[in-house]
Amino acid sequence: MTETPDDLPPTDRESPVGEPVIRGDERVVGDHAANAVSFDPDDPERVAAAVDAVRGFANGDLGDDHLAMLRGAAACAALVRSEQSYKAAAERAGDDVTVPFVRKWARVHDLPQPVRRHVALGHIPPTAAKHIARVGGDARYRLAWAVLDNDLTVRQVRQVASDVNDGRSLDDALRDHGVTPGELTLTLPPDAYRDLRRRAAMTDTDTGTIVANALDAYLDD
């Protein structure tokens, strides 16, 4: 059976696959960083460890906290890279491990680092992250930030991801759940708030436009 591109692991990951970049960062996970496990897809011993971890993850033996799930996701990603397909990875892990299970959690590990940091911190549930991982490109960031800023439920995230994959725009899908794309509540120092309002009034400019322009200049530096 010929595999389609969707059956193959992505090739554009920025950090090493299976490396505990987030799980090993004390700034994110504190003392848990010392227990972070790496899964090197090019090291037979680390691949064997990944097989055990994937099997345990599928059977519920790793635990259900967010760090355990990130560890399971890392193991899935490393095993997929080692076997070069989701199907072969699932087969190696054993009869109780399905291709959809391996695919969705490997994709969680391939989410951008800023998103995975919020998963590790407990701000985004891993069960929501697996649906964020179903969409591609810039939409992954924007859906993740919508979860942070609007307390979207896992069910809502799943529906938004499904709608996007069915061809709807992310903005329209988010609006169905009461989310205004790009809306963010900020708390400013009193002096900055005063000056922002004053500049907006004197230039007849929306405050959001002024903030957006200032951010563009700041982030381009």
Side-chain angles (χ1 to χ4, degrees), residues 1-216:
M1 178 178 176
T2 302
E3 292 184 299
T4 67
D6 193 50
D7 296 319
L8 303 175
T11 58
D12 57 352
R13 182 176 171 83
E14 295 180 359
S15 56
V17 176
E19 188 73 17
V21 175
I22 304 298
R23 292 175 293 118
D25 189 337
E26 291 185 358
R27 297 170 300 172
V28 179
V29 301
D31 293 341
H32 293 286
N35 299 320
V37 178
S38 64
F39 302 103
D40 185 346
D42 298 318
D43 182 332
E45 290 187 5
R46 291 289 83 209
V47 172
V51 170
D52 290 340
V54 171
R55 188 177 297 126
F57 187 30
N59 293 331
D61 296 335
L62 290 189
D64 58 1
D65 66 89
H66 51 281
L67 292 180
M69 288 186 174
L70 283 178
R71 179 185 176 190
C76 287
L79 186 56
V80 167
R81 296 303 177 101
S82 175
E83 298 297 322
Q84 292 298 301
S85 82
Y86 298 110
K87 183 174 182 291
E91 289 176 347
R92 181 166 179 183
D95 295 338
D96 294 333
V97 181
T98 67
V99 172
F101 178 87
V102 171
R103 180 190 292 114
K104 68 185 177 184
W105 287 109
R107 288 177 174 175
V108 167
H109 190 66
D110 284 320
L111 283 169
Q113 280 194 46
V115 177
R116 286 186 290 122
R117 287 177 72 89
H118 282 289
V119 177
L121 288 166
H123 300 160
I124 297 176
T127 47
K130 69 183 181 183
H131 294 297
I132 294 171
R134 291 167 53 202
V135 300
D138 181 62
R140 287 183 164 189
Y141 281 114
R142 295 174 59 206
L143 181 51
W145 305 156
V147 173
L148 291 177
D149 295 329
N150 298 274
D151 295 324
L152 293 178
T153 66
V154 173
R155 179 176 294 181
Q156 288 174 311
V157 178
R158 180 181 62 191
Q159 185 61 58
V160 170
S162 295
D163 289 346
V164 170
N165 285 327
D166 286 341
R168 291 197 71 195
S169 74
L170 176 62
D171 288 354
D172 287 343
L174 288 172
R175 288 191 183 97
D176 285 348
H177 298 277
V179 175
T180 300
E183 186 176 75
L184 176 67
T185 300
L186 296 175
T187 299
L188 300 174
D191 288 351
Y193 176 74
R194 177 201 62 207
D195 293 343
L196 172 62
R197 282 296 189 184
R198 182 169 59 192
R199 175 65 64 87
M202 293 301 295
T203 60
D204 194 25
T205 306
D206 181 76
T207 54
T209 300
I210 295 175
V211 172
N213 290 338
L215 276 174
D216 282 342

